[in-house]
Amino acid sequence: MAEAVFHPPKRKRRVFESYKAPFPVDVGGKDFRLCQAEIINNNVIVRNPEDIEQLYNKGYFGKGILSRSRPVFSISDPQLVAKWRGVNTNMPIITSQKYQRRVQWAQSVLQEQGLDSCSISRILESYTKPLGLPLCTGDGDGQAGHSCTTGSTGNAELGRKCGREGAQRPEGHKQHSQEGGDPGSASRDQEQEHPRDMAEGSCHRDPAVPWGCEGKQSPEQRAWEEMDSRECAPEYVLVQEEEEGSSCPEDDSTDAQDNLVKKEVLVCRKNPFRIFEYLQLSLEEAFFLVYALGCLSVYYGEEPLSIVKLWEVFSEVKPDFKTTYMAYHYFRGKGWVPKVGLKYGTDLLLYRKGPPFYHASYSVIAELVDDNFEGSLRRPLSWMSLSGLNRTNANASKELMLCYLIRPSDMTAEEMATPECMKRIKVQELIVSRWVSSRERSEPDEF
């Protein structure tokens, strides 16, 4: 058997961030933070934004449920943000079409609660009415108003009328601003009318998420309730809308229909259907954070699960969890960042430092065998399937690795029921490479 040739990891051309730490724990434990997660539909979800930032920035654990990797989802339209860059605000800016879709989603949620159409219309009309919020231009000068205006001629690029003098209010919208009042008063009026209806209609959340419990509260329970209250707080967005009756000729030309100026305004409204992005951890990542680092507590309901209980639950959810976790634990300890390798038909992908810096170097298939390399294989590969899998990974500049987890022949099922069995497990790695006769043959003999 030939020795494997080490190929250095392939660094990505564009790197937009700096490397912080390999694990979300500090040396010495001075700034130790215990993160919290919960099991929802057999998935481990982290909801706290501070925990999400801690786990992903330090070690690149998990992925955003609405993003490719880093949880950076936002409903704000990038084109509208660039178009209204003169307005200094941190609120999302969306189109009226996107806002109406959220109104329809909120309407569907209220219909599922058994409310009649009149009540739904009254609730949504009161909740989504325009509000008055201060808007600032690039110089920081703000005015108490709820809209900014721009002008548009036909399909041409929109000319901006919100300049350095501050956000302007069209006269046709002053009455709406007075009716809407400040966001606090509008929110209080809404809570007095239908507090429970809009709490469920405006917060998009899984029914399995606990709301908290009454009575004696632990710090963990208080953290959950603070998170629930933060998620149920109203979200204010700026909606780009066309001002009613604002179309007028740009000049005195005869072709007035082609030169109509459509004034567009930013109207502040409350988002009736919020979408939150959480961090989803794989079962292997969650158990590593609990067992190896001790910086995560996984809850099922109101109580955190112990290490042995997590080992049992994850093994029931994923029958081959023990095998894949042993491989994950081994490679994490070697300094690699393992990620799910489903995209390339394997168990794990190994990254140096993290996915933002390097491409994956190895695609790993993990197998649990005995001392004689025998046992019921998870993936019995034929020569044809092995060749195809190797070709798939080679085309993506990755090497296929077979990771054999060797357990002693005398290891019992009781020992495998706890993670302490990993102390007796040995690991052997085998890199599969394609043999090309024209490259590998020795020098021809001289006659």
Side-chain angles (χ1 to χ4, degrees):
M1 183 180 296
E3 295 183 358
V5 178
F6 176 77
H7 298 283
K10 186 178 180 181
R11 186 174 178 85
K12 291 187 175 180
R13 295 181 179 179
R14 298 180 180 179
V15 178
F16 301 99
E17 56 187 273
S18 58
Y19 184 74
K20 293 186 178 179
F23 299 119
V25 291
D26 296 330
V27 178
K30 296 181 180 179
D31 299 326
F32 179 79
R33 177 182 179 85
L34 182 62
C35 302
Q36 297 181 8
E38 54 187 321
I39 300 178
I40 301 177
N41 297 332
N42 296 334
N43 296 308
V44 181
I45 303 297
V46 181
R47 297 165 52 201
N48 193 322
E50 297 177 355
D51 293 345
I52 292 175
E53 183 179 2
Q54 175 84 356
L55 295 178
Y56 191 85
N57 290 345
K58 297 181 178 181
Y60 299 97
F61 290 89
K63 69 172 293 293
I65 60 175
L66 301 176
S67 304
R68 291 186 60 184
S69 53
R70 178 179 292 275
V72 291
F73 171 78
S74 173
I75 65 172
S76 188
D77 191 333
Q79 295 181 353
L80 293 184
V81 172
K83 171 182 167 182
W84 292 92
R85 60 180 177 271
V87 179
N88 186 14
T89 179
N90 56 359
M91 288 186 292
I93 303 178
I94 62 176
T95 61
S96 58
Q97 293 82 1
K98 183 180 288 189
Y99 187 79
Q100 289 303 321
R101 283 199 297 268
R102 277 152 177 76
V103 174
Q104 294 174 0
W105 295 340
Q107 183 178 1
S108 301
V109 173
L110 295 177
Q111 288 175 350
E112 293 176 357
Q113 298 177 10
L115 298 179
D116 58 280
S117 58
C118 296
S119 300
I120 294 175
S121 300
R122 186 173 64 254
I123 293 172
L124 292 178
E125 183 179 359
S126 177
Y127 194 84
T128 61
K129 60 187 177 182
L131 304 173
L133 282 181
L135 295 179
C136 299
T137 60
D139 292 341
D141 298 326
Q143 292 183 355
H146 74 280
S147 62
C148 283
T149 61
T150 63
S152 174
T153 304
N155 294 328
E157 184 179 359
L158 295 171
R160 199 165 288 97
K161 291 187 178 180
C162 274
R164 294 178 175 271
E165 60 272 16
Q168 301 176 358
R169 280 183 301 173
E171 295 180 359
H173 287 268
K174 290 182 179 179
Q175 185 177 358
H176 293 288
S177 178
Q178 294 173 358
E179 292 176 358
D182 67 292
S185 62
S187 178
R188 287 191 296 269
D189 295 340
Q190 182 58 42
E191 290 176 358
Q192 293 175 0
E193 274 190 75
H194 305 280
R196 181 62 178 172
D197 295 337
M198 289 315 299
E200 295 180 357
S202 60
C203 292
H204 178 60
R205 48 184 301 140
D206 197 297
V209 178
W211 280 88
C213 57
E214 299 178 355
K216 295 182 179 179
Q217 294 181 340
S218 64
E220 292 80 6
Q221 292 171 343
R222 286 196 297 270
W224 285 122
E225 291 192 353
E226 290 176 1
M227 193 160 21
D228 289 333
S229 62
R230 180 171 59 250
E231 292 182 354
C232 290
E235 178 187 28
Y236 299 97
V237 297
L238 296 177
V239 185
Q240 178 179 274
E241 301 176 358
E242 291 186 4
E243 184 180 359
E244 297 180 1
S246 61
S247 298
C248 58
E250 187 180 21
D251 49 29
D252 296 335
S253 62
T254 56
D255 195 4
Q257 200 166 18
D258 295 337
N259 295 323
L260 288 180
V261 177
K262 294 181 179 180
K263 292 184 179 179
E264 293 179 335
V265 295
L266 290 181
V267 182
C268 179
R269 300 179 186 271
K270 283 192 285 188
N271 185 6
F273 193 91
R274 298 188 64 182
I275 299 179
F276 299 95
E277 181 171 34
Y278 303 134
L279 186 72
Q280 179 179 355
L281 300 173
S282 66
L283 301 185
E284 292 81 9
E285 289 174 327
F287 194 82
F288 183 83
L289 292 170
V290 175
Y291 172 71
L293 301 181
C295 62
L296 181 71
S297 294
V298 179
Y299 284 74
Y300 185 74
E302 300 177 356
E303 297 295 332
L305 300 180
S306 63
I307 294 177
V308 177
K309 187 64 176 178
L310 272 179
W311 183 264
E312 177 184 348
V313 171
F314 288 171
S315 299
E316 293 178 358
V317 173
K318 185 178 179 180
D320 56 354
F321 166 75
K322 296 176 182 178
T323 302
T324 55
Y325 176 74
M326 290 177 187
Y328 181 93
H329 189 104
Y330 172 77
F331 289 113
R332 264 288 183 180
K334 294 292 185 180
W336 295 96
V337 178
K339 287 293 185 180
V340 177
L342 181 62
K343 183 178 180 181
Y344 296 97
T346 57
D347 298 319
L348 298 173
L349 292 177
L350 301 185
Y351 293 86
R352 180 174 183 253
K353 297 177 69 174
F357 306 99
Y358 291 89
H359 295 280
S361 300
Y362 300 98
S363 296
V364 181
I365 295 179
E367 292 289 356
L368 184 63
V369 296
D370 57 12
D371 292 337
N372 299 321
F373 282 81
E374 296 178 353
S376 57
L377 299 179
R378 298 170 48 247
R379 298 180 55 177
L381 297 172
S382 63
W383 286 111
M384 183 177 296
S385 60
L386 180 61
S387 177
L389 187 62
N390 186 37
R391 178 67 66 88
T392 300
N393 286 273
N395 290 341
S397 300
K398 294 170 179 51
E399 294 186 89
L400 181 62
M401 178 188 295
L402 302 180
C403 178
Y404 290 102
L405 304 162
I406 307 171
R407 66 175 183 179
S409 301
D410 58 348
M411 180 174 287
T412 62
E414 288 75 13
E415 292 182 79
M416 292 290 294
T418 64
E420 296 299 316
C421 65
M422 290 190 294
K423 296 179 179 179
R424 302 184 61 190
I425 298 293
K426 298 180 181 180
V427 181
Q428 181 170 344
E429 307 158 15
L430 179 64
I431 295 180
V432 180
S433 60
R434 179 168 171 258
W435 184 77
V436 182
S437 59
S438 60
R439 298 177 185 175
E440 305 295 336
R441 69 162 58 107
S442 59
E443 293 293 332
D445 297 334
E446 295 182 1
F447 293 98

